[in-house]
Amino acid sequence: MCLPQLKQLNLRYIRIGDVKFVNRLLSSCPVLESLLLRDIEADNEDGVGVDIKCSQLKHLKMVNNYRTACNVAKTVKLSTPVLKSFVCTDYMIQKYSPGNLSSLVTASIDMIATHEIGEQLYPERMLKFLLAVHNVEELTLLSDVFQSNVAEDGEVGLLPCGLSRLKYVEIRGMEGCDNELKFLELVLKEAAVLEEMDLCFSNPEGSPGATVRIRASNSK
């Protein structure tokens, strides 16, 4: 297969016999700029991973609603040097290798913590994401991340490379716990060009609650 002019590709709700098919398909799209992968189910007994090697890719969205590791890619490797926006919604079942995302401007990382991946595996994999997207201008996170990234001395172990470019941050599913407040303190202290912050709280029953918007005094 060869798709030399294809710039946008959406793969949604499909089941394939081999993950290698996805890799071959992507390698046949040399000028691909936008990619959506949503709930791709594959027979993958060999543990082959998805290799997104797209030198022109600017927009990537990956959504996985499977809670177990059965019939999905075991690893996801990104080789996307000019990627501008990245949306990833997953249960952190796969092992992600984000690679170099220095061109990234916006990132939305909704990684849900589950018992299937263990207490230690989630923070380890989440830290890789945070290190990879630390340079973004707009960042959206799920509150689950704050349950695992706190050091022994109580300090929040998030975004250790700084927040020098961060202009907007959104936190979804907030409950008002100490870890979340420590992260907010870190953002307000370190993000010198921060313009706006949205805090989306959850109701006790888990349904969406109020959203609090905070704007910097020098923002437009």
Side-chain angles (χ1 to χ4, degrees):
M1 182 180 294
C2 183
L3 302 169
Q5 301 300 321
L6 189 66
K7 293 188 176 182
Q8 180 173 334
L9 176 62
N10 294 340
L11 298 178
R12 296 181 285 188
Y13 313 115
I14 63 173
R15 180 170 183 172
I16 56 179
D18 192 338
V19 173
K20 294 178 182 177
F21 168 79
V22 176
N23 296 336
R24 290 196 297 268
L25 177 60
L26 294 178
S27 66
S28 72
C29 308
V31 297
L32 191 65
E33 296 182 357
S34 178
L35 174 63
L36 166 64
L37 299 177
R38 180 187 293 271
D39 293 333
I40 307 298
E41 187 175 3
D43 297 324
N44 190 26
E45 296 180 358
D46 297 330
V48 177
V50 172
D51 188 2
I52 303 177
K53 191 175 183 180
C54 302
S55 61
Q56 302 301 314
L57 194 66
K58 297 178 181 179
H59 308 286
L60 174 61
K61 184 174 183 178
M62 303 184 66
V63 180
N64 176 41
N65 290 310
Y66 297 115
R67 291 181 62 94
T68 67
C70 298
N71 296 326
V72 295
K74 301 298 187 294
T75 62
V76 178
K77 182 179 180 181
L78 304 184
S79 299
T80 52
V82 299
L83 195 67
K84 298 296 183 183
S85 68
F86 182 33
V87 176
C88 190
T89 301
D90 202 348
Y91 287 97
M92 200 61 88
I93 301 300
Q94 292 92 345
K95 181 179 180 181
Y96 283 84
S97 296
N100 180 12
L101 298 178
S102 59
S103 297
L104 202 63
V105 177
T106 65
S108 178
I109 311 298
D110 290 352
M111 292 298 191
I112 302 173
T114 64
H115 296 295
E116 288 88 347
I117 64 172
E119 295 180 359
Q120 299 302 320
L121 196 56
Y122 178 83
E124 175 185 329
R125 293 183 175 180
M126 194 65 219
L127 182 59
K128 278 191 175 182
F129 263 109
L130 296 173
L131 288 171
V133 305
H134 78 276
N135 208 34
V136 297
E137 295 181 10
E138 300 180 7
L139 178 63
T140 298
L141 294 174
L142 198 63
S143 65
D144 287 37
V145 67
F146 304 108
Q147 310 310 317
S148 304
N149 287 274
V150 179
E152 293 182 358
D153 59 1
E155 294 297 323
V156 178
L158 294 173
L159 303 173
C161 296
L163 303 165
S164 61
R165 296 180 57 192
L166 190 64
K167 295 181 179 180
Y168 172 80
V169 61
E170 177 181 349
I171 304 174
R172 299 173 180 170
M174 285 195 65
E175 299 177 357
C177 66
D178 290 342
N179 297 351
E180 295 168 347
L181 297 178
K182 289 177 180 177
F183 176 72
L184 296 181
E185 182 181 357
L186 175 67
V187 171
L188 294 174
K189 179 180 179 181
E190 301 293 339
V193 297
L194 184 71
E195 297 178 355
E196 190 170 285
M197 180 162 49
D198 284 342
L199 311 179
C200 305
F201 288 85
S202 294
N203 287 321
E205 61 272 15
S207 59
T211 296
V212 178
R213 176 163 294 175
I214 301 174
R215 291 182 176 174
S217 58
N218 59 347
S219 67
K220 296 181 181 180

